[in-house]
């Protein structure tokens, strides 16, 4: 169905009863109703499409909370990815499309000037970031916390300092009163690269340390609305994954906290985005089924032998794709490195080696099997069987 819509969009044929289509829409000058219709038509935002009627109501009735975006130990890659959002663009999301907008109350990279203080107190000035955040907290405004980057706990949190204080102190204050807390990207979700083996800064995720529940806020943390931390992993995160969750949260369209188990997986990842194994929808899947494996980069074939981790990775990249829906890692012949998984990066290194979990299950190396089996179909069948066993193991973890 999605492919049908996509192909119609390419040919500019999708149109509703009001004549709204991609040819006659000026995205900077459309009504809220048209925007929602367009979003539904393009399938760009799952939640918006799914809840469009409710969302119109919600926009009319409710003031949306601000977004407070903090950055711990990060490379700012997820911010860059956010800036590359396309449907809507960041400018549209922030400036507003009709009455709809993301009120980015505080962002440490793209927001305001920092450090305008007198006698240690932030100057009360419109563009002073310190003042803006203090005001949000003091006036007890409703806000959603987005954390990008991991939380470095060692040395009393002083590996990462922000506005003259240990970052962990600032984060604790903000998390305590957040309506909803969202961990954005691998670092914020699980510790990510700063938390990898060999690091000495005690980097953990907001509510997970690798696969272990707990992290910085602890396993019992709940936001003001009663939610645990919602994890939106990726390295970096896909802009639409973030937009989808943030817009749903802003418009109060997340399922109730007591229903969270049906909406996120064991690692608090929304199932709408992270509910499927990448490999099952891979555009190179036909090669895998026929036992045709690339031996080197750029070669035609399934990328498993040169390190593709998609058989054990949950995300929707092959369906959502990146860069305005044009391509993604495997389509560009780049093996998946499992950037959405909680034990990324350690468990998947070296990235260029076949994922070890599969062959070890059956006690032999698939590479050897490929050499001796000779029969292409047999390899394909064996590979499927191995993957099924591997998936069984993963689902039971
Ligand atoms: S192993 Fe990777 S490249 Fe091969 S079919 Fe699966 S997802 Fe595609
Ligand atoms: S295909 Fe794999 S490595 Fe690439 S973005 Fe998706 S989950 Fe991350």
């Amino acid at each position: 169905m999605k492919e049908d819509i996509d192909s119609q969009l390419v040919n500019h044929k999708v149109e509703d009863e009001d004549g709204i289509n991609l040819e006659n829409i000026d995205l900077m000058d459309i009504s809220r109703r048209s925007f929602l219709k367009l979003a539904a038509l393009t399938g760009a935002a799952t939640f918006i499409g799914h809840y469009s009627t409710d969302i119109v109501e919600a926009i009319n009735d409710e003031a949306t909370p601000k977004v407070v975006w903090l950055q711990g130990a990060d490379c700012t890659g997820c911010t860059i990815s956010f800036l590359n959002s396309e449907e809507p663009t960041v400018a549209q999301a922030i400036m507003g499309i009709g009455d709809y907008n993301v009120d980015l109350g505080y962002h440490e990279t793209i927001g305001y000037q920092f450090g305008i203080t007198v006698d240690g107190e932030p100057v009360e000035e419109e563009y002073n970031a310190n003042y803006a955040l203090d005001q949000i907290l003091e006036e007890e405004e409703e806000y959603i916390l987005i954390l990008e980057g991991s939380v470095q706990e060692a040395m009393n949190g002083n590996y990462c300092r922000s506005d003259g204080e240990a970052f962990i102190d600032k984060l604790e204050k903000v998390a305590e009163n957040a309506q909803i807390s969202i961990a954005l990207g691998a670092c914020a979700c699980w510790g990510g690269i700063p938390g990898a083996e060999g690091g000495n800064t005690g980097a953990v995720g907001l509510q997970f340390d690798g696969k272990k529940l707990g992290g910085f806020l602890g396993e019992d943390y709940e936001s003001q609305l009663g939610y645990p931390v919602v994890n939106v992993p990726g390295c970096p995160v896909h802009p639409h994954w973030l937009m989808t969750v943030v817009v749903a949260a802003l418009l109060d369209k997340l399922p109730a906290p007591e229903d969270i188990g049906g909406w996120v997986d064991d690692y608090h990842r929304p199932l709408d985005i992270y509910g499927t194994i990448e490999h099952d929808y891979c555009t190179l899947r036909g090669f895998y089924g026929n036992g045709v494996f690339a031996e080197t980069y750029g070669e035609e074939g399934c990328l498993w032998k040169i390190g593709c981790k998609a058989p054990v990775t949950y995300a929707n990249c092959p369906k959502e794709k990146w860069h305005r829906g044009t391509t993604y890692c495997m389509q560009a012949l780049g093996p998946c490195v499992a950037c959405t998984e909680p034990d990324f990066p350690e468990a998947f290194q070296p990235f260029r080696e076949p994922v070890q979990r599969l062959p070890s299950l059956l006690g032999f190396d698939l590479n050897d099997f490929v050499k001796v089996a000779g029969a292409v179909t047999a390899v394909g069948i064996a590979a499927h069987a191995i993957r099924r066993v591997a998936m069984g193991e993963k689902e039971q973890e």
Side-chain angles (χ1 to χ4, degrees):
M1 178 62 185
K2 168 91 168 56
E3 272 163 20
D4 287 343
I5 291 176
D6 283 345
S7 70
Q8 289 177 66
L9 281 171
V10 168
N11 297 314
H12 292 181
K13 281 183 185 154
V14 172
E15 183 170 297
D16 75 352
E17 70 276 9
D18 295 339
I20 293 169
N21 65 29
L22 287 184
E23 280 180 328
N24 65 17
I25 268 193
D26 175 355
L27 277 176
M28 293 307 286
D29 188 31
I30 62 174
S31 69
R32 176 186 65 244
R33 185 163 169 270
S34 299
F35 166 72
L36 292 168
K37 276 175 176 270
L38 181 70
L41 281 171
T42 58
T46 315
F47 282 98
I48 290 178
H50 196 67
Y51 294 109
S52 56
T53 314
D54 294 341
I55 285 174
V56 172
E57 234 169 73
I59 290 169
N60 286 335
D61 294 347
E62 297 167 26
T64 52
K66 285 192 158 74
V67 170
V68 173
W69 184 311
L70 300 184
Q71 290 172 275
D74 71 326
C75 70
T76 320
C78 290
T79 286
I80 302 293
S81 193
F82 170 64
L83 290 172
N84 284 331
S85 181
E86 288 142 352
E87 290 166 345
T89 65
V90 164
Q92 287 163 349
I94 292 175
M95 302 304 288
I97 300 170
D99 295 339
Y100 163 74
N101 81 304
V102 174
D103 188 348
L104 200 53
Y106 180 85
H107 190 298
E108 297 186 334
T109 303
I110 59 176
Y112 308 84
Q113 298 168 11
F114 271 87
I116 312 171
T117 56
V118 172
D119 295 334
E121 294 298 319
V123 172
E124 293 185 16
E125 203 256 9
E126 198 184 348
Y127 299 109
N128 185 354
N130 314 60
Y131 179 62
L133 182 58
D134 283 353
Q135 223 184 9
I136 291 171
L137 296 178
E138 277 162 22
E139 293 182 8
E140 297 179 359
E141 290 184 48
E142 291 188 350
Y143 61 86
I144 288 170
L145 163 65
I146 292 179
L147 174 68
E148 174 182 2
S150 58
V151 190
Q152 295 172 307
E153 295 184 308
M155 218 169 71
N156 297 323
N158 282 299
Y159 275 110
C160 183
R161 291 181 62 79
S162 173
D163 303 331
E165 62 182 334
F167 178 71
I168 56 173
D169 295 336
K170 183 185 207 172
L171 177 60
E172 199 164 23
K173 266 185 291 186
V174 176
E176 193 182 332
N177 294 311
Q179 300 287 297
I180 295 168
S181 292
I182 298 170
L184 182 66
C187 301
C189 293
W190 343 105
I193 290 172
E197 202 181 325
N200 60 359
T201 62
V204 296
L206 196 53
Q207 202 173 21
F208 277 83
D209 179 5
K211 283 184 160 179
K212 195 163 164 262
L213 183 63
F216 174 66
L217 294 175
E219 58 185 82
D220 296 328
Y221 170 83
E222 284 181 356
S223 68
Q224 288 291 322
L225 292 182
Y227 292 95
V229 171
V230 178
N231 285 326
V232 188
C235 191
V237 73
H238 191 301
H240 288 172
W241 299 343
L242 169 68
M243 281 292 188
T244 300
V245 175
V246 169
V247 168
L250 285 172
L251 299 179
D252 200 16
K253 291 298 162 194
L254 294 184
E258 57 272 23
D259 298 329
I260 194 92
W263 178 68
V264 299
D265 67 8
D266 289 348
Y267 303 114
H268 298 187
R269 298 177 293 191
L271 290 165
D272 268 356
I273 300 166
Y274 304 96
T276 49
I277 284 282
E278 298 239 90
H279 168 82
D280 288 348
Y281 299 92
C282 178
T283 39
L284 304 177
R285 175 64 189 257
F287 290 113
Y288 177 92
N290 288 320
V292 179
F293 296 97
E295 300 284 341
T296 185
Y297 288 91
E299 211 172 270
E300 199 173 62
C302 161
L303 308 174
W304 178 79
K305 286 181 74 177
I306 54 171
C308 185
K309 309 297 188 291
V312 290
T313 301
Y314 286 84
N316 68 3
C317 302
K319 287 192 269 185
E320 174 91 43
K321 299 194 178 176
W322 289 66
H323 309 300
R324 212 179 182 98
T326 54
T327 189
Y328 70 105
C329 298
M330 286 81 87
Q331 191 170 335
L333 301 186
C336 171
V337 295
C339 76
T340 56
E341 288 301 304
D343 35 12
F344 169 85
E346 281 117 314
F348 304 99
Q349 290 173 318
F351 290 143
R352 294 178 184 193
E353 296 295 320
V355 58
Q356 291 305 308
R357 224 181 280 171
L358 305 183
S360 66
L361 279 172
L362 297 186
F364 62 81
D365 186 324
L366 185 59
N367 289 301
D368 295 339
F369 185 71
V370 170
K371 272 185 226 140
V372 291
V376 166
T377 319
V379 174
I381 292 166
H384 275 102
I386 290 167
R387 193 192 71 81
R388 278 200 299 274
V389 176
M391 289 309 98
E393 182 211 46
K394 184 166 178 62
E395 276 151 16
Q396 285 159 22
E397 277 175 4

